[in-house]
Amino acid sequence: MFHYTCLNPVSKVGLEYFGSDYSAVASMEEADAILVRSADMHQIAVPDNVKCVARAGAGVNNIPLMELGQQGIPVFNTPGANANGVKELVFAAMLLAARDVVGGINWAASQVDNANVAKDTEKEKKKFAGFELSGKKLGVIGLGAIGRLVANTAVHMGMEVYGYDPYISVDAAWNLSKNVLHSKDVKEIYANCDYITIHVPLMDSTRGMVGAEAFTLTKPNAVLINLARDVLVDEPAAIQALAEGRLGKYVTDFPNPTVLGQKGVIAIPHLGASTEESEDNCAVAAVKQVKDFLENGNLTNCVNFPNCNMGICTAASRIGVFHENVKSMISQFTTALSHTNIAHMSNTSRGALAYTLLDLEEKIPEDTIRAIEAIPGVFRVYVVK
């Protein structure tokens, strides 16, 4: 029996995938796995009994990845599980910026006692007129799961789409419409596009990536859409660009004192992935990854250790070793396991961290586990069975 705990409310649809071999507990001290959404784990001491953490969503800036890595605790996320919900809100954001739908709705609501509302509507509607998306240029910065969907959908809506992503994966490239134009320099997007939408992860290299320099290039009526992370945009610079007529509108999914009430800002209350379907999809994906690790030792969508998959565990014994990515580790593992035959082994690394998964033809003795744990540079040995 495995135990899990949730630091945030997690979709019941996802939790049902755990099945009868798993039970929910209230305390981390009793849990094998933690499921989290937005809770800040940087201020939490995660006990050593926890074997993995799963983020029901894509962003992991609320999780101390390296610290957990050094405890031998893999962290999973669910990229793409909420992609469609975010994609749809991107188009809502573009339409809200193109046409003053909210202003028109508010005006209509204020006319509840106006018997001449039909006639007055014909006079007032010009105040809320706007522009169509078809024929406009859209720049998509980041062509991962969400950006790719946005780009492909925009092509079908008749937009001229430019994509920028120096790190695009092979899979993403194969699934990108041939009609998306490739920008080799993000400055091309800032200078040429009527709409610009950001879909990159938050890293040191992307923090504040859309800043003052970008706003010296943007069209005066350009619309910047940020449904990814607020700190990807230098928001004081964006507000200044709006005030000086160097940017048309800024649509953000992250209301804060810097942007609220500013002219040209449309603030949405963090609705990007807040659909029932997205929350269900993220929870299901997170639970499946937790189960595959606890039951088979596999790492899928792991963000602090490398991914590793040796399929369903059918060996007499399988162990996963979390360790530093340094020389001679494998030879030390095989020496400790010299009493048994290693049927299969996979060793993968990511930066300073590595993971070795081994299938053994005999049940591994407890003293052998202790011997491997005692090797300098080993963080944890997880015994699958």
Side-chain angles (χ1 to χ4, degrees):
M1 174 71 71
F2 292 108
H3 305 286
Y4 67 89
T5 190
C6 300
L7 301 188
N8 299 103
V10 174
S11 162
K12 291 182 180 179
V13 172
L15 297 181
E16 287 173 355
Y17 271 77
F18 272 128
S20 59
D21 291 334
Y22 291 76
S23 65
V25 292
S27 169
M28 287 191 298
E29 283 69 22
E30 305 172 77
D32 297 294
I34 293 174
L35 275 72
V36 62
R37 292 174 62 198
S38 60
D40 186 0
M41 294 187 65
H42 290 281
Q43 310 304 319
I44 297 174
V46 178
D48 288 337
N49 55 276
V50 173
K51 299 175 180 66
C52 63
V53 172
R55 161 77 164 95
V60 290
N61 54 304
N62 59 319
I63 303 173
L65 301 180
M66 184 55 70
E67 290 85 347
L68 291 178
Q70 292 172 345
Q71 286 182 256
I73 299 176
V75 178
F76 310 113
N77 71 343
T78 59
N82 59 10
N84 188 70
V86 178
K87 177 208 75 176
E88 291 183 0
L89 193 65
V90 169
F91 286 93
M94 285 197 283
L95 290 167
L96 288 172
R99 311 178 73 171
D100 189 7
V101 178
V102 173
I105 290 172
N106 290 339
W107 177 84
S110 71
Q111 305 300 305
V112 65
D113 296 321
N114 182 1
N116 296 315
V117 63
K119 183 177 180 180
D120 290 346
T121 293
E122 295 307 310
K123 298 177 182 178
E124 296 293 325
K125 68 180 184 180
K126 294 180 181 179
K127 296 180 181 179
F128 313 111
F131 305 94
E132 297 180 9
L133 299 183
S134 181
K136 301 300 187 298
K137 295 180 180 179
L138 170 65
V140 182
I141 302 174
L143 295 167
I146 298 170
R148 183 176 69 248
L149 288 180
V150 170
N152 290 347
T153 302
V155 167
H156 291 296
M157 292 184 69
M159 302 187 80
E160 187 177 332
V161 183
Y162 295 78
Y164 173 77
D165 191 336
Y167 308 108
I168 187 170
S169 68
V170 173
D171 286 343
W174 273 110
N175 288 289
L176 193 64
S177 169
K178 65 180 180 180
N179 295 311
V180 175
L181 302 172
H182 178 212
S183 290
K184 296 182 179 180
D185 190 331
V186 72
K187 292 179 181 179
E188 296 177 8
I189 284 179
Y190 296 143
N192 296 323
C193 292
D194 305 297
Y195 295 87
I196 301 166
T197 182
I198 314 164
H199 302 287
V200 300
L202 175 59
M203 302 181 292
D204 289 341
S205 60
T206 59
R207 186 181 296 271
M209 65 175 290
V210 186
E213 181 182 0
F215 300 124
T216 65
L217 302 172
T218 49
K219 295 181 177 182
N221 61 347
V223 175
L224 175 63
I225 299 167
N226 180 13
L227 307 187
R229 287 289 181 271
D230 53 350
V231 293
L232 296 173
V233 174
D234 181 344
E235 292 188 328
I239 299 303
Q240 185 175 352
L242 289 167
E244 295 176 356
R246 293 181 286 110
L247 182 68
K249 288 181 182 175
Y250 175 48
V251 187
T252 176
D253 204 22
F254 308 96
N256 61 65
T258 300
V259 300
L260 289 176
Q262 298 291 335
K263 183 180 179 180
V265 172
I266 299 174
I268 303 170
H270 204 183
L271 299 181
S274 296
T275 65
E276 183 176 333
E277 293 88 347
S278 286
E279 292 183 4
D280 289 348
N281 291 341
C282 288
V284 168
V287 168
K288 287 182 175 180
Q289 289 164 181
V290 167
K291 290 187 66 176
D292 196 24
F293 171 66
L294 292 178
E295 297 172 18
N296 299 303
N298 297 323
L299 303 183
T300 303
N301 290 326
C302 191
V303 291
N304 56 348
F305 285 95
N307 289 333
C308 179
N309 192 316
M310 289 197 353
I312 295 173
C313 179
T314 58
S317 185
R318 176 179 286 185
I319 62 170
V321 186
F322 296 92
H323 57 94
E324 293 179 353
N325 183 23
V326 294
K327 296 178 180 179
S328 78
M329 296 301 287
I330 301 301
S331 62
Q332 293 183 77
F333 300 158
T334 55
T335 297
L337 293 166
S338 60
H339 66 281
T340 186
N341 187 47
I342 299 173
H344 298 96
M345 181 177 70
S346 176
N347 171 257
T348 52
S349 63
R350 172 182 285 173
L353 304 180
Y355 182 60
T356 301
L357 193 59
L358 303 106
D359 277 350
L360 311 175
E361 293 186 351
E362 299 175 15
K363 199 73 175 176
I364 185 169
E366 191 68 27
D367 60 344
T368 302
I369 297 170
R370 301 286 86 82
I372 297 173
E373 288 177 333
I375 296 172
V378 170
F379 305 124
R380 166 177 285 182
V381 178
Y382 175 57
V383 180
V384 179
K385 67 180 241 185

